[in-house]
Amino acid sequence: ESQPTTSDETVVAGGTVVLKCQVEDPDDSSLQWSNPAQQTLYFGEKRALRDNRIQLERSTPNELTISISDVVLSDEGEYTCSIFTMPVRTAKALVTVLGIPQKPQIFGHEQPIDEEKIARLTCRSSGSKPAAQLRWKKGNKELKDEGTEVVEDPNGKTFTVSSRVEFRVTKEDNEAEVTCTVDHESLQNSERSTTQKLQVHYKPTAKIEPHPQYPREGEKLQLQCDGQGNPIPQEFLWEKEGSDAPLQLSSDSVLIFPFLNKSDSGTYVCTATSSMGSVVAKYNLDVSDASPVPSTSSTYHAVIGGVVAVIVFLLLSLVIVLAHYLIRHKGTYLTHEAKGSDDAPDADTAIINAEGGQASGDDKKEYFI
């Protein structure tokens, strides 16, 4: 069989394509490769076209294989393998060159978007062949596009693809990441994407924090008006309810009381303002009496004083018990002394009688041995 055989090939721009032509019965004829412009590239093992990108890979009576490196889009087309028998037999090989899409670009995020407004973003990628596909994500959530546009590039071979999305933004979308990804067969299952962060302007919030937390008379107090938002509030108005004149209007969010008095008690109002509006925060100041918080040393002294008081109490109790005991014993002595004085003419006789009476009592005791 003298009919040559080839195969179609697909190559990514910049890559290398290999063209193989085989024949079972060459019939003593040589094989030849020619390009889409019908220029001979190789006739057998002989180079015919001076292009260093084209190299001979294998040449035998049954096969002619060549390679083309650094492929460009203009290399695409039908290549012909011929064998010069009678008649001449040929086989075609279609070479398809894939245009690699450029990294996508996102437009429409350049300026901050006010909350509750509609964000309109466009993603664009050029250089794909065939036309690429674009898809969107906000965070981990897929976004459905509003339409895709495909335009042929000036070279007449590749395409520029554009995709649009629209969605309403909230304050939670501030700093959210929006990603546009291009999918194309030339990327060989890899992704090419671009991510941009949204900037969302939203109304401010504010709260008042006292330092220290529990203010007392005579102390220094700072009221911090903590304003949050995008943009951050830059103007702070301090007022006291019941007072006509404002206390302070500046970019400083702190109101300072160098020395608190009872008269400072009341409700204080902070109005924080940004380009997105104003917000009001209130704080009710109740100045407590000046009472020092016990320190570690004073607590220690209090413990020592308590121990001393307990010791003094115990000593006094002991003295009272001893005094009571001594008084009772003295009463017993006087009672015995009175027993001998009932019939005595004088004190000496009374003492003798008392002792004698005691002895007489002892004489009445009986002893058994």
Side-chain angles (χ1 to χ4, degrees):
E1 180 67 40
S2 298
Q3 177 62 43
T5 59
T6 61
S7 62
D8 295 340
E9 302 293 338
T10 299
V11 61
V12 176
T16 299
V17 62
V18 176
L19 300 176
K20 180 187 290 187
C21 181
Q22 293 176 310
V23 63
E24 290 185 7
D25 182 10
D27 195 19
D28 295 329
S29 297
S30 297
L31 293 169
Q32 172 188 290
W33 273 111
S34 57
N35 64 15
Q38 296 303 312
Q39 296 172 311
T40 301
L41 303 179
Y42 269 88
F43 183 75
E45 61 183 10
K46 294 181 181 178
R47 181 195 296 270
L49 186 66
R50 290 185 178 181
D51 188 340
N52 291 331
R53 299 181 306 130
I54 304 173
Q55 297 293 324
L56 178 66
E57 298 295 330
R58 182 179 176 83
S59 177
T60 68
N62 300 88
E63 179 183 337
L64 179 60
T65 300
I66 63 173
S67 65
I68 306 174
S69 59
D70 298 326
V71 173
V72 294
L73 292 171
S74 59
D75 291 327
E76 184 173 272
E78 280 190 340
Y79 289 74
T80 305
C81 176
S82 306
I83 184 168
F84 291 92
T85 57
M86 292 300 290
V88 177
R89 293 181 172 87
T90 61
K92 301 291 186 179
L94 178 62
V95 174
T96 302
V97 180
L98 301 178
I100 303 175
Q102 297 178 4
K103 185 176 181 179
Q105 293 179 293
I106 299 177
F107 304 93
H109 68 281
E110 295 84 0
Q111 298 297 325
I113 309 168
D114 292 349
E115 64 177 332
E116 302 303 326
K117 295 293 181 66
I118 301 297
R120 295 178 173 87
L121 305 178
T122 300
C123 179
R124 185 175 297 131
S125 174
S126 302
S128 60
K129 178 181 173 296
Q133 300 290 324
L134 299 175
R135 53 189 171 90
W136 292 89
K137 273 187 176 183
K138 185 179 72 170
N140 295 322
K141 182 181 179 181
E142 296 280 351
L143 290 176
K144 183 180 179 181
D145 68 357
E146 299 294 327
T148 301
E149 182 182 27
V150 179
V151 178
E152 190 176 70
D153 292 335
N155 60 22
K157 296 182 180 295
T158 58
F159 300 91
T160 295
V161 185
S162 301
S163 175
R164 295 179 296 106
V165 291
E166 295 183 1
F167 55 92
R168 190 178 301 275
V169 298
T170 64
K171 63 184 295 186
E172 287 75 21
D173 290 322
N174 188 47
E175 297 294 328
E177 292 186 342
V178 176
T179 302
C180 177
T181 301
V182 57
D183 295 321
H184 195 262
E185 54 188 301
S186 66
L187 299 177
Q188 300 175 351
N189 298 323
S190 63
E191 287 188 353
R192 182 167 289 188
S193 61
T194 296
T195 298
Q196 294 291 345
K197 285 187 176 181
L198 293 178
Q199 290 294 320
V200 179
H201 279 180
Y202 54 90
K203 293 180 181 179
T205 60
K207 62 179 180 178
I208 299 175
E209 296 286 350
H211 303 281
Q213 188 173 3
Y214 302 105
R216 295 183 180 276
E217 187 176 16
E219 294 181 342
K220 178 181 178 180
L221 173 66
Q222 294 186 3
L223 295 182
Q224 172 78 43
C225 188
D226 184 15
Q228 300 294 325
N230 188 25
I232 296 175
Q234 297 296 321
E235 182 181 272
F236 299 88
L237 171 64
W238 283 98
E239 298 173 291
K240 183 180 181 181
E241 287 188 352
S243 298
D244 296 332
L247 302 176
Q248 180 177 296
L249 175 61
S250 71
S251 59
D252 190 356
S253 62
V254 179
L255 181 65
I256 299 177
F257 298 83
F259 192 87
L260 275 179
N261 292 310
K262 284 283 190 179
S263 59
D264 292 324
S265 296
T267 300
Y268 289 82
V269 181
C270 169
T271 303
T273 303
S274 74
S275 60
M276 292 298 294
S278 298
V279 65
V280 173
K282 294 185 178 183
Y283 174 74
N284 186 34
L285 175 61
D286 184 11
V287 180
S288 302
D289 293 331
S291 55
V293 179
S295 62
T296 304
S297 61
S298 62
T299 303
Y300 173 77
H301 292 155
V303 172
I304 295 299
V307 173
V308 171
V310 170
I311 294 174
V312 170
F313 175 76
L314 293 176
L315 289 176
L316 288 175
S317 299
L318 182 60
V319 168
I320 293 171
V321 171
L322 288 175
H324 182 67
Y325 176 79
L326 291 176
I327 290 171
R328 290 191 62 185
H329 276 65
K330 183 176 180 181
T332 304
Y333 170 76
L334 293 175
T335 302
H336 285 296
E337 182 179 13
K339 289 180 181 179
S341 63
D342 292 339
D343 300 324
D346 53 38
D348 291 336
T349 305
I351 293 173
I352 294 172
N353 289 341
E355 291 177 353
Q358 187 176 359
S360 299
D362 291 340
D363 290 342
K364 295 178 181 178
K365 294 179 182 179
E366 295 180 359
Y367 298 90
F368 298 92
I369 301 175

